[in-house]
Amino acid sequence: MCQVEEEYSGPLEKTSLPTVSKKCMKCKESTAVLIIRVGDAFCRDCFREYFVHKFRAMLGKNRVIFPGEKVLLAVSGGPASSSMLTQVQEGLSRDAPKKLRFAPGIIYIDEGGACDQNAEEREKTLSQMEAIFRKTGFPYHIVSLEQVFSLPNSVLEPVSCGPERPGSSYKAAVDQYLQQKEVNQRQGQLATEEAQDAVAHLSVQASQVSPEHKQALEKLFSSLKTLTARQDMLQTLRQHLILHTARLNGYSKVMMGDSCTRLAIRLLSNISLGRGASLAVDTGFSDPRYGDVVIVRPMRDYSSKEIAFYNRLFGVRSLFISGLGTKTSNKASIQQLTESFVIKLQADFPSTVSTIYRTSEKLHTACPPQTSGAVAADKCLLCLCAVCNKAGKSQHQHYHFYYKHFVDAASASHASLISERLSRGELGMEAKIDPASCCPSGTLDPFSCQREGQGCGEGGSCTAARAPAPADLKSLLCYSCRLTVEDMAAEDTLPPYITSEAEKRWNSMSRLRANPAAPFTRAESQNNRIDTEAHTWAPRCRDKGR
């Protein structure tokens, strides 16, 4: 409290406020212009060198992109993807000390039809993006989201890639690339600018939108009830378009501009959405789930703060394009709620994003690798991630009759499907048949049924008397994609290539059910039955103290 006789005529004490360090932490000479973290002050030149080195080191450390490969850059116009485009452009210049040796291309997905943008806004955005792409000199492809309704069925078919190249072949590929380059320079065959411009013009002309596809896209997103499902569906369709464009134009790699902050948010949101099994491929440097096309994330070591500083200091142009979550509350969807939570926590605790990001680096998938020629039934119909159960077997192996009824039936996802069918009255309608008429022992043994290619099921129902079940789209999806489809008012609003592939897979499953004992011999089937019965009775024996 103030005192009556207190004097205020004395000199005031000057408190020193925290300021930016005057010297750069790297060169110790120039004045620092920014602070990335506490104590990490950089001058302009040192920060640029640090930023460029991190990008080149990420590509050189992993050695996924080989010299001469065609790489497709997925640019959305945001800060991260625009910075990635600038790094590639500078890395391919003649003055670069460690020049990049791949052939780049650019793809931009126009999502205005799903985000309620009018024709004028979409045209303005496309003209701005096209102006940016033309300055790079790279071939670019502008694809509208409405084109998902004209995709072929081959987009969702599994494509097995060749054997992985060993580390020693990378040096051989570099030597071969340099030799071929010298030969081309001697023969004068490096006139690539005209070809790139021609491809660019053709790509722009191929992105016209038909009124039927526009109405179908609006109907699809209007059938999704929640913003969480709409954002998840938009991400899936975007990936399908990028994958189709890469295959159509011969690109073997796709670069995504996912930053460290974005991957930390995706990790937590995917766990909330039920995509925990695919976290390793969703947040890792490389994503080989598509087989012949590999997704790489060279910007995953950059925080959003570093990218914003770089774009500001060196004039990297980026565009703000309104999306599904524009002008909505933080609690409108799981993705936005997670983003708000991480960003606010990062403001108070600066190590939040880095801690989450380092955790994602330690994740590895327990399912078989996706590059080993996986069967279509082993992958989700939408996200194309591996569908595995807790028993460690793939979904394709469970289409065998025995595992389908004794192992896969114990999973939580299968139980939820059975519950839905029971509530709709789709189960319990099988025709009953006397076990003695087809099984000599009358024990409902699926491996002793006398009817060729058939087997008896639970409750005396023989598979020979069962009516063919209708195609169920949810049985071909992972848990997260199943929740998205359940949020749809009508499944017939999905693009035709998805429904056609679902019908194709369901017919393949039906053929496997019609001949359930084919994958195993009788001795192997008997052993599998004994092992499964042992696992089934083991908990009961422990409960009874046996």
Side-chain angles (χ1 to χ4, degrees):
M1 297 180 63
C2 299
Q3 302 295 331
V4 177
E5 299 179 356
E6 188 175 0
E7 297 181 359
Y8 296 95
S9 59
L12 298 177
E13 296 181 0
K14 185 177 181 180
T15 305
S16 59
L17 299 176
T19 57
V20 179
S21 177
K22 295 182 180 180
K23 298 298 181 180
C24 173
M25 61 166 291
K26 188 174 181 180
C27 64
K28 309 295 182 181
E29 297 178 358
S30 303
T31 303
V33 296
L34 58 93
I35 295 179
I36 300 176
R37 290 173 294 271
V38 178
D40 294 347
F42 287 92
C43 64
R44 178 186 176 92
D45 296 336
C46 292
F47 176 68
R48 181 171 188 171
E49 183 180 353
Y50 156 82
F51 198 91
V52 173
H53 172 74
K54 184 182 286 190
F55 185 84
R56 307 279 179 85
M58 177 63 70
L59 295 178
K61 178 179 64 176
N62 293 275
R63 289 190 174 183
V64 176
I65 301 177
F66 280 63
E69 277 191 311
K70 298 183 65 176
V71 180
L72 187 63
L73 310 179
V75 179
S76 63
S81 60
S82 300
S83 179
M84 179 186 68
L85 178 60
T86 303
Q87 293 301 309
V88 174
Q89 188 176 1
E90 293 180 356
L92 292 172
S93 62
R94 296 181 180 179
D95 300 333
K98 295 182 180 180
K99 189 175 180 180
L100 301 177
R101 299 186 178 94
F102 56 83
I106 306 174
I107 182 173
Y108 170 72
I109 306 297
D110 179 19
E111 304 171 359
C115 303
D116 297 333
Q117 294 182 3
N118 54 38
E120 296 180 358
E121 294 177 346
R122 298 182 66 177
E123 187 66 27
K124 180 180 179 180
T125 302
L126 291 179
S127 61
Q128 292 176 345
M129 296 299 299
E130 186 177 355
I132 296 175
F133 297 158
R134 284 186 178 275
K135 291 181 180 180
T136 62
F138 303 151
Y140 61 91
H141 313 271
I142 298 179
V143 184
S144 61
L145 192 63
E146 287 84 355
Q147 293 188 19
V148 295
F149 290 92
S150 60
L151 291 180
N153 301 344
S154 59
V155 176
L156 300 178
E157 294 179 357
V159 179
S160 59
C161 64
E164 297 183 358
R165 308 185 198 182
S168 59
S169 65
Y170 184 84
K171 296 181 179 180
V174 174
D175 297 337
Q176 183 180 1
Y177 174 80
L178 295 177
Q179 294 176 1
Q180 184 65 29
K181 185 177 180 180
E182 292 179 358
V183 173
N184 294 338
Q185 288 178 348
R186 293 174 182 175
Q187 297 178 356
Q189 297 179 355
L190 293 179
T192 58
E193 296 182 358
E194 297 180 359
Q196 290 180 353
D197 293 338
V199 174
H201 287 295
L202 290 176
S203 301
V204 174
Q205 294 296 330
S207 61
Q208 302 297 329
V209 180
S210 63
E212 295 80 7
H213 292 169
K214 185 177 180 180
Q215 295 177 0
L217 184 66
E218 294 176 354
K219 187 177 179 181
L220 170 61
F221 279 88
S222 61
S223 65
L224 295 167
K225 303 174 185 178
T226 62
L227 182 60
T228 300
R230 287 195 290 270
Q231 290 180 340
D232 192 55
M233 180 62 67
L234 177 61
Q235 172 68 19
T236 301
L237 298 180
R238 184 194 301 123
Q239 291 294 110
H240 292 174
L241 280 175
I242 294 176
L243 177 62
H244 174 67
T245 305
R247 289 174 174 172
L248 190 64
N249 296 274
Y251 293 97
S252 58
K253 301 292 188 301
V254 175
M255 275 192 182
M256 308 293 290
D258 296 326
S259 64
C260 173
T261 307
R262 179 56 53 189
L263 291 178
I265 296 172
R266 181 179 300 173
L267 185 142
L268 296 182
S269 62
N270 283 7
I271 292 176
S272 303
L273 293 172
R275 295 190 183 275
S278 60
L279 286 179
V281 293
D282 287 337
T283 61
F285 174 78
S286 62
D287 183 358
R289 78 180 75 179
Y290 305 114
D292 56 336
V293 178
V294 179
I295 306 295
V296 294
R297 302 180 179 93
M299 303 293 293
R300 67 189 304 264
D301 272 354
Y302 297 97
S303 65
S304 58
K305 183 179 180 180
E306 293 175 342
I307 295 174
F309 274 133
Y310 183 84
N311 294 350
R312 175 69 176 177
L313 290 176
F314 301 102
V316 178
R317 184 183 178 186
S318 60
L319 299 179
F320 172 77
I321 303 174
S322 60
L324 289 174
T326 305
K327 296 183 179 181
T328 57
S329 63
N330 295 333
K331 299 180 181 180
S333 66
I334 294 178
Q335 295 90 336
Q336 290 189 226
L337 180 62
T338 307
E339 181 178 359
S340 175
F341 169 75
V342 172
I343 291 177
K344 291 180 180 178
L345 199 62
Q346 174 71 13
D348 298 332
F349 304 94
S351 61
T352 299
V353 170
S354 60
T355 302
I356 301 174
Y357 168 73
R358 298 304 173 188
T359 304
S360 67
E361 289 185 332
K362 302 176 182 179
L363 298 176
H364 299 280
T365 178
C367 296
Q370 299 301 303
T371 58
S372 58
V375 191
D378 293 336
K379 295 185 178 183
C380 174
L381 182 63
L382 293 181
C383 66
L384 298 178
C385 285
V387 180
C388 295
N389 67 350
K390 64 180 181 179
K393 294 182 178 295
S394 65
Q395 186 179 358
H396 177 71
Q397 292 171 321
H398 282 86
Y399 295 153
H400 186 275
F401 178 87
Y402 192 81
Y403 286 104
K404 187 65 181 176
H405 284 77
F406 290 94
V407 180
D408 190 45
S411 63
S413 59
H414 183 72
S416 62
L417 287 177
I418 294 297
S419 178
E420 290 182 12
R421 294 178 182 178
L422 284 173
S423 62
R424 295 195 300 261
E426 297 179 0
L427 293 181
M429 302 302 293
E430 298 98 343
K432 300 298 180 180
I433 189 171
D434 185 12
S437 62
C438 62
C439 298
S441 59
T443 57
L444 302 179
D445 187 357
F447 305 105
S448 62
C449 182
Q450 290 183 344
R451 300 198 178 191
E452 182 179 358
Q454 306 297 336
C456 288
E458 300 176 356
S461 174
C462 184
T463 55
R466 293 182 183 178
D472 189 3
L473 180 63
K474 298 176 185 177
S475 62
L476 305 174
L477 304 175
C478 64
Y479 177 74
S480 180
C481 294
R482 187 178 303 165
L483 295 180
T484 302
V485 173
E486 287 178 355
D487 202 18
M488 297 181 62
E491 296 181 3
D492 56 353
T493 58
L494 289 170
Y497 73 97
I498 296 179
T499 55
S500 300
E501 180 65 19
E503 191 70 23
K504 178 181 177 182
R505 294 189 184 184
W506 189 261
N507 293 336
S508 177
M509 291 163 52
S510 301
R511 288 193 297 269
L512 288 175
R513 289 193 185 100
N515 193 9
F520 301 105
T521 62
R522 182 178 180 86
E524 293 172 340
S525 302
Q526 185 70 16
N527 293 333
N528 290 330
R529 181 185 60 174
I530 295 176
D531 294 340
T532 308
E533 289 178 353
H535 287 291
T536 305
W537 285 99
R540 299 185 182 181
C541 295
R542 287 195 298 266
D543 294 340
K544 295 181 179 180
R546 298 180 183 177

